[in-house]
Amino acid sequence: MVKFLLFCFWSILTSRTLAFKPTVGQGDDPSMYTHESITLDGVDSAAAEYLTSTGQVNTSTATARDVVKGYFGSDTNGYQDYQARSKEFAAAVMRVYRTYRNDPDYTVNSERIAEADDLVQATRLEIDSILSQGPLDDSAMNPLIDKVGKCLMVIQSFYSNTNWVEMMVNGKESFLNFGTLNAFNVIVATSGTVTCRNCDDSLPNGCSNNLLVHDRLTSGYLYGQLHYQKPTANPFAVEGKCSHGGVNDAGRNTAATGGINKETPDWNWSPHAHLHNISGQTAVKATAAFFMDPAAGILRGVDQAVMTAIFKIKKKVSHVPAMGFVIDVTGSMANDIRSVKETLIKTLNTVIGTPNQPTKYVLSTFSDPANLTTVATTTDGNEMIRWIERLTVDGGGDCPEFAISGVLAAVRASDPFAVVYVATDADAKDDNMTSVAIQEANAKNITLKFILTGNCSGSAWRRRDVHFDANDDSHHRSVRSVFDDLAHSTGGDVYNVAHSEVTATLDHVLEKDFPSSEAIIDYFVLATSDPDTVNVTVDSEAAVLVITIKGPYSLAHASLALPNGTAESFSSKQATQYYSSHTITMSIQSPARGIWKLTRRVSSLWTVNVTASTYLDIDSQLKETDTFGISYVVDRNPIVGKNYTLQVLVSNLNSSSSSFRLHLLDDQGADLYSHPVDLVFSPSKITGYMPIVTPNKDFYVQLSGVDPNGFQFKRMSRKLTKPVGVDLFVPPILGNLDINVNHNITYTLSNLGSTDQTYTVSITDDKGRVQSPTSQQQTVPAGNSTTGYFQIASPTELEAVTYTISVKLSGTTSVLQSSRNSVMFAGAVCSSQVTQKCRQSYTGSNCTLYTWSATSVFSFDVSTYVNVTNVSVAIDPTNGKRLHVTGTCCQKDFTVNAKPSAGSGCVTSDGVVAADNEEVAAIPFVVTDAGSSGIQTNTSGPHRTSVPVPETKSNTGLIVGLVIGCSVGVVAMVTGVITYKVYKGKRNQVKMFKTEYPARQEMVVKPQFDHRSLEL
């Protein structure tokens, strides 16, 4: 047991800045490029490119961020979902930085450029293997995000730490071959090559001309990194290997003194600070290209469903023609009905009076017999609320019910493109009408979604007596069969949940489907001893005000007064109030600006939530700064009493607003701390920073100020932050794990409190792959740390497993810290990239006169391979992981099956014919050799040098490569060999999203590509 082991571990990792800083900290230049900002900007560019290239947004002048925001429009919650996914990618990059920042293979220091390229290439193959498996669920998405973060950390560091930008000053060209499947074909300086002259890094621009090489790549050496050992030079030497540089580089004073890093705009940190903006812009471009480059991007060829999953870029349908609800009103639904009523009333109140409100509402109820089915329609959202409020349950007693009758009634009453939600705890007695319901729903493009809390087969969900033979197929099909058929056939979903989960599930489903611009204004608990009248702040940006009060026993127990003192009568459609289940919901459209007064008429405990339909909203995050000035976004619960920086991120705030303050509110809504804050308005974001010492209470973050019209505004973040006295660190596993082997998952647990504690550390996963024991007791003295590990194994190749390690005080149920990570189990992986495609016109009678070419890359050195007739395959003589493939335009695709000297192999395929609008080389290649076929063997060992691979002439899309794990020569999979899903998708034409840059300076020497060798 080592005291403060975790902090010692972090101090080792955070000894200096090694690339772009991970994030902006307090006191940093807010316009500085960081790994966080580069990733967020790069994702914006990639998403904008996708939206513009597929015609979903028609613009060529807006910035990438404007394109994405314009796509979401009034659906601010949808845009926040997209932003959250972007932040997941950024967080993954920052995790890699914090974990591997001392490894120059990740930071591209110490001239480890070829090794960094290998690292990215190998990880890209792993990413391709995930994308090849079909639909991306959470289990696949989590490791994909981690692996993307690994690649982007290295790619972005290439531009801050090598001399590529110096060679390309003002051109801002991304070196797309770096980390792609193309051969690495730029010369890297040899160990004996002098690369820099001494310079004085204490002066601005003192090192701007210290580079000696302009025709090959180099990078600086940073003292203390792995593989450091900067080649020694004579103490009086004025030239030598480049230093990384900066105040924390102890080696910057040995020849060559100074440095070349561009990671910040501060000369103290970066000797080449004058090139920081250019390197950052180039890294953004490279980040976007990593996703969307038509020839080398990881998303080339994927379809819209994959794009939606990766970027969370699905826009909710605005102006839904109809919003339909089908509700089982039999007796056993009593508790579920209460949950449904509460959720629907809350949801409708957030959209009524906004551009997001549906144009029609449908309410259908069903029971038993079928003649009890009812249906009603209205265009008035308030009338729909009154109907829902009056819902009651009755009857039942047997099972099943006439669910399809209720569904058909809603479908027939709904407008085209409606979404209809069904809530029941029974099977469908009238399942013989299923095909009719499907046919009629599809005829109107209506989507059906089901929330099921039981069935008639004796499930514990259902609380009524069951008088039904579940095995009698003549009467019904299973609940899964009928409702799954309806959902699957109409593009909907089925949610099987417990009664207690209805509210959360319906909340989630409605939030996914309907646009919303809801923001939290205020939240507080009103104890019986508190004053009965409280203020409700309404600013100029609030379109609809919604006040939800939990605790009253009737509408008469609460009243509301306008800013002018007039009592709100709730006598019009613009101002309504409803009571249900001890909850009053008040909704006011276009509320008067100013301070409203909410009064409690009868004493009871109240919980009040104030929201508004508004584009103005906030988010917040905590950052911690190490002793070297490097800030990190906190991705776990903060530690009580520790110093942090609170960052607030504001959306759509008018720059003429003023008097900003940040507040920490406890879980009752009371002020714990309040302090003025300066907000920085930039074209891309609005941010503010405030130092805090973490309180020993849970807290929300709130921003207040005065809008341009002089009215006070408030906005709260949604997250409740929970400070604790224990820390947990779980190192991520970024590489793939071998199958059928137990692997350790390690953790470090630190007791940062003042008393000894016994903790329960447990692990769970989504595939049942964690080995026993899955729980451990750890007694840790105050101020000390301990380590432990769990084990995980899988027999399945290409299986993604997400696991979570959590910490509780022994004997309690409250989780203090948790860490979720993902890992991929995989054997051989591979991918292909077509470098010269065939025109459609080349595939005719003269197809033998034209050729295509491709490169197949494997995760192993190829020993043998099998290819089809008339396709020529050759192992790269300098890199045994590469096969060069060529053939005539008489064929439309190719397949290559390769195997290492031991272990399983991999097969990869690709299409070779360009789409009609794709650009290809105009000059045909005359065939001189028909190629070879059959099993070929590699008799020469691979060398670590590169060979030329023709770059594609196309700037549009190509057909995605197929990645399948298999054995060499096996076409039909036999017992014991895993068969993988094949995922195909023809890519739409993609036009790179344009970013304008200054013209390249003519004096700059462009690097010369050596297609024969790569110096080592």
Side-chain angles (χ1 to χ4, degrees), residues 137-265:
D137 57 14
D138 287 344
S139 292
M141 183 59 69
N142 294 331
L144 184 142
I145 291 173
D146 289 341
K147 293 177 187 299
V148 167
K150 178 180 176 180
C151 289
L152 292 181
M153 163 66 193
V154 180
I155 290 171
Q156 293 166 8
S157 298
F158 175 85
Y159 297 99
S160 68
N161 292 347
T162 73
N163 63 325
W164 174 258
V165 167
E166 285 82 351
M167 295 194 293
M168 304 298 295
V169 172
N170 288 339
K172 301 190 191 71
E173 294 185 14
S174 300
F175 179 40
L176 295 183
N177 265 19
F178 181 78
T180 71
L181 299 182
N182 287 333
F184 184 79
N185 52 14
V186 176
I187 299 173
V188 176
T190 62
S191 59
T193 301
V194 172
T195 55
C196 275
R197 64 171 62 92
N198 288 352
C199 62
D200 186 355
D201 63 353
S202 66
L203 300 174
N205 288 306
C207 292
S208 58
N209 294 309
N210 63 330
L211 273 165
L212 297 175
V213 293
H214 299 281
D215 62 345
R216 64 199 62 207
L217 286 171
T218 187
S219 61
Y221 286 75
L222 178 61
Y223 183 81
Q225 269 196 312
L226 300 174
H227 314 293
Y228 171 68
Q229 295 308 313
K230 179 179 176 182
T232 57
N234 186 298
F236 302 102
V238 295
E239 295 177 348
K241 284 293 185 183
C242 298
S243 297
H244 180 76
V247 293
N248 291 324
D249 179 11
R252 74 186 190 281
N253 295 320
T254 61
T257 60
I260 63 171
N261 89 70
K262 297 162 283 295
E263 56 208 14
T264 77

Side-chain angles (χ1 to χ4, degrees), residues 515-559:
S516 173
S517 55
E518 182 187 40
I520 302 174
I521 305 299
D522 216 342
Y523 165 84
F524 49 86
V525 174
L526 202 61
T528 55
S529 58
D530 290 333
D532 288 325
T533 298
V534 292
N535 293 338
V536 175
T537 301
V538 178
D539 57 80
S540 304
E541 299 297 322
V544 178
L545 174 69
V546 178
I547 303 172
T548 304
I549 312 165
K550 291 183 179 293
Y553 289 88
S554 75
L555 286 175
H557 290 185
S559 64

Side-chain angles (χ1 to χ4, degrees), residues 775-816:
S775 181
Q776 302 171 359
Q777 297 293 113
Q778 297 277 18
T779 299
V780 188
N784 279 256
S785 298
T786 190
T787 60
Y789 68 90
F790 297 98
Q791 290 197 316
I792 190 170
S794 172
T796 306
E797 289 188 348
L798 298 181
E799 180 176 64
V801 178
T802 297
Y803 59 90
T804 301
I805 296 180
S806 58
V807 178
K808 305 173 185 177
L809 282 175
S810 184
T812 67
T813 59
S814 178
V815 174
L816 301 178

Side-chain angles (χ1 to χ4, degrees), residues 27 34 70 72 103 112 268 370 428 434 436 479 496 511 665 698 763 772 781-782 851:
T34 64
F72 284 98
D103 189 336
R112 303 277 297 179
N268 292 315
T434 300
V436 176
V479 63
N496 293 291
E511 193 278 330
L665 308 180
D698 299 350
I763 185 170
S772 295
T851 62

Side-chain angles (χ1 to χ4, degrees), residues 831-848:
S831 187
S832 289
Q833 181 172 319
V834 179
T835 53
Q836 174 63 49
K837 305 193 85 169
C838 298
R839 291 182 183 274
Q840 291 284 355
S841 59
Y842 294 170
T843 61
S845 57
N846 293 325
C847 60
T848 57

Side-chain angles (χ1 to χ4, degrees), residues 253-334:
N253 295 320
T254 61
T257 60
I260 63 171
N261 89 70
K262 297 162 283 295
E263 56 208 14
T264 77
D266 186 338
W267 295 101
N268 292 315
W269 289 90
S270 303
H272 281 202
H274 61 295
L275 297 176
H276 171 74
N277 285 344
I278 293 176
S279 63
Q281 292 162 1
T282 311
V284 170
K285 186 176 179 182
T287 298
F290 174 79
F291 288 107
M292 293 296 294
D293 181 73
I298 62 170
L299 301 183
R300 65 191 191 282
V302 304
D303 67 8
Q304 188 166 338
V306 176
M307 287 291 188
T308 298
I310 287 177
F311 291 128
K312 282 193 175 179
I313 205 165
K314 177 184 177 182
K315 180 173 66 174
K316 301 174 182 68
V317 180
S318 60
H319 299 292
V320 178
M323 186 181 198
F325 300 98
V326 181
I327 300 175
D328 179 351
V329 290
T330 50
S332 64
M333 284 286 291

Side-chain angles (χ1 to χ4, degrees), residues 738-931:
D738 293 333
I739 63 172
N740 297 317
V741 177
N742 283 348
H743 299 274
N744 291 344
I745 300 174
T746 62
Y747 65 86
T748 300
L749 185 67
S750 299
N751 178 4
L752 305 178
S754 57
T755 60
D756 299 352
Q757 297 287 358
T758 298
Y759 303 99
T760 299
V761 186
S762 57
I763 185 170
T764 59
D765 75 280
D766 60 349
K767 297 293 195 311
R769 302 305 187 190
V770 174
Q771 309 297 297
S772 295
T774 59
S775 181
Q776 302 171 359
Q777 297 293 113
Q778 297 277 18
T779 299
V780 188
N784 279 256
S785 298
T786 190
T787 60
Y789 68 90
F790 297 98
Q791 290 197 316
I792 190 170
S794 172
T796 306
E797 289 188 348
L798 298 181
E799 180 176 64
V801 178
T802 297
Y803 59 90
T804 301
I805 296 180
S806 58
V807 178
K808 305 173 185 177
L809 282 175
S810 184
T812 67
T813 59
S814 178
V815 174
L816 301 178
Q817 294 284 15
S818 67
S819 177
R820 190 182 74 166
N821 291 277
S822 297
V823 69
M824 190 82 177
F825 291 90
V829 291
C830 54
S831 187
S832 289
Q833 181 172 319
V834 179
T835 53
Q836 174 63 49
K837 305 193 85 169
C838 298
R839 291 182 183 274
Q840 291 284 355
S841 59
Y842 294 170
T843 61
S845 57
N846 293 325
C847 60
T848 57
L849 299 179
Y850 305 95
T851 62
W852 53 266
S853 60
T855 299
S856 296
V857 184
F858 298 81
S859 59
F860 51 83
D861 288 323
V862 175
S863 175
T864 58
Y865 59 84
V866 179
N867 58 281
V868 299
T869 305
N870 295 325
V871 173
S872 177
V873 179
I875 297 176
D876 189 313
T878 60
N879 187 341
K881 293 182 174 65
R882 292 176 173 271
L883 297 181
H884 301 295
V885 191
T886 59
T888 72
C889 291
C890 298
Q891 58 204 93
K892 295 184 178 180
D893 52 41
F894 71 93
T895 298
V896 177
N897 198 334
K899 184 179 181 181
S901 57
S904 61
C906 190
V907 62
T908 177
S909 304
D910 213 335
V912 300
V913 181
D916 292 336
N917 54 3
E918 238 182 313
E919 297 178 12
V920 297
I923 302 174
F925 292 82
V926 179
V927 177
T928 58
D929 186 351

